[in-house]
Amino acid sequence: MKLPDYAKAIGISYTTAWRWWKANKLPHPARQTESGLIIVDYVPQTSSTEVKKNRVAIYSRVSSSENKENLNRQSERLTEYAIANGYQIVRNVKEIGSGLNDHRKQLETLLQQNDYDILLVEHKDRLGRFGTNYLGVLLLRLGVKLEIVNLADNGKDELMQDLVAIITSFAARLYGQRRATRKTEKIIAELKDGDSECN
């Protein structure tokens, strides 16, 4: 199968397939003909039931645009994981937004689709800071399995950003918008002081 057809069959872009070929990281054997054409030894699954069980939607998220590079790496790791597990990638969604925000457009659109059987995320907090277990139960009722690749804790920088967002939100409700900023800054300073004492 030609490299562009292979990329399409496994649900990755041609650019990614080419980069993997150059780095000798294609998950299937490949060779280059004398004319320069890259041929991959890959036969797609023919049974529709087999394919149906392996349809995967990838969801990657970071909290701010400063982490866009991390977002791309996260998506690439999940793509490699999906291919290694024989999944057929039907969607690959990348989103920038807080894990506390329950109105993330990309995730909402993804959850409304019914063309995948597995929702693949790297860490559970990529899906949401709270209620991920409930979301997994609901997805299962719809016939979609939530698969979390890495169950280890995911860094404390983004957790701190989420904590600041929670404090700011509650402080604004309690003290009004102007005083909330001062109160939030004070609470954050105290948290950082407490953290440095623990280390």
Side-chain angles (χ1 to χ4, degrees):
M1 165 180 298
K2 295 176 187 173
L3 190 62
D5 299 329
Y6 171 76
K8 190 175 180 182
I10 65 169
I12 63 173
S13 70
Y14 173 74
T15 310
T16 301
W18 173 255
R19 198 169 57 245
W20 287 358
W21 156 255
K22 294 296 279 180
N24 200 23
K25 289 173 77 176
L26 278 176
H28 297 94
R31 64 190 180 288
Q32 192 167 22
T33 64
E34 289 180 17
S35 63
L37 189 67
I38 298 167
I39 304 293
V40 183
D41 296 330
Y42 174 75
V43 179
Q45 295 172 317
T46 50
S47 163
S48 59
T49 42
E50 276 183 45
V51 172
K52 190 173 187 251
K53 289 178 185 171
N54 287 331
R55 297 177 308 171
V56 68
I58 292 172
Y59 180 74
S60 309
R61 181 193 65 79
V62 292
S63 59
S64 68
S65 52
E66 298 160 5
N67 296 324
K68 195 168 184 181
E69 201 53 43
N70 183 28
L71 180 64
N72 293 329
R73 284 194 306 270
Q74 187 183 139
S75 176
E76 202 165 292
R77 284 191 300 268
L78 288 170
T79 300
E80 289 176 9
Y81 176 90
I83 292 168
N85 282 280
Y87 296 156
Q88 178 195 3
I89 301 168
V90 293
R91 296 185 179 277
N92 194 337
V93 176
K94 299 179 195 175
E95 188 159 45
I96 297 173
S98 170
L100 296 171
N101 182 355
D102 60 353
H103 292 290
R104 282 176 269 144
K105 295 292 179 204
Q106 299 275 13
L107 180 59
E108 284 180 16
T109 302
L110 179 61
L111 292 174
Q112 290 170 10
Q113 305 304 314
N114 62 358
D115 59 353
Y116 59 94
D117 308 292
I118 300 165
L119 177 56
L120 188 63
V121 295
E122 190 168 45
H123 295 274
K124 73 176 187 173
D125 62 4
R126 298 300 92 199
L127 203 52
R129 284 290 176 192
F130 306 106
T132 309
N133 186 51
Y134 296 121
L135 194 53
V137 170
L138 287 171
L139 284 168
L140 207 52
R141 284 193 67 179
L142 297 171
V144 176
K145 176 188 169 197
L146 173 60
E147 188 167 335
I148 300 166
V149 174
N150 188 345
L151 293 169
D153 282 342
N154 186 25
K156 81 177 180 182
D157 290 341
E158 191 164 319
L159 188 60
M160 190 64 158
Q161 290 175 352
D162 286 344
L163 183 59
V164 169
I166 291 171
I167 292 169
T168 304
S169 173
F170 281 106
R173 287 183 192 173
L174 288 172
Y175 306 111
Q177 204 63 45
R178 192 175 301 149
R179 285 182 59 205
T181 306
R182 289 193 307 268
K183 290 277 189 185
T184 302
E185 288 169 356
K186 184 178 176 186
I187 292 169
I188 292 167
E190 288 175 12
L191 284 170
K192 285 183 178 175
D193 287 345
D195 188 40
S196 61
E197 287 175 14
C198 293
N199 293 334

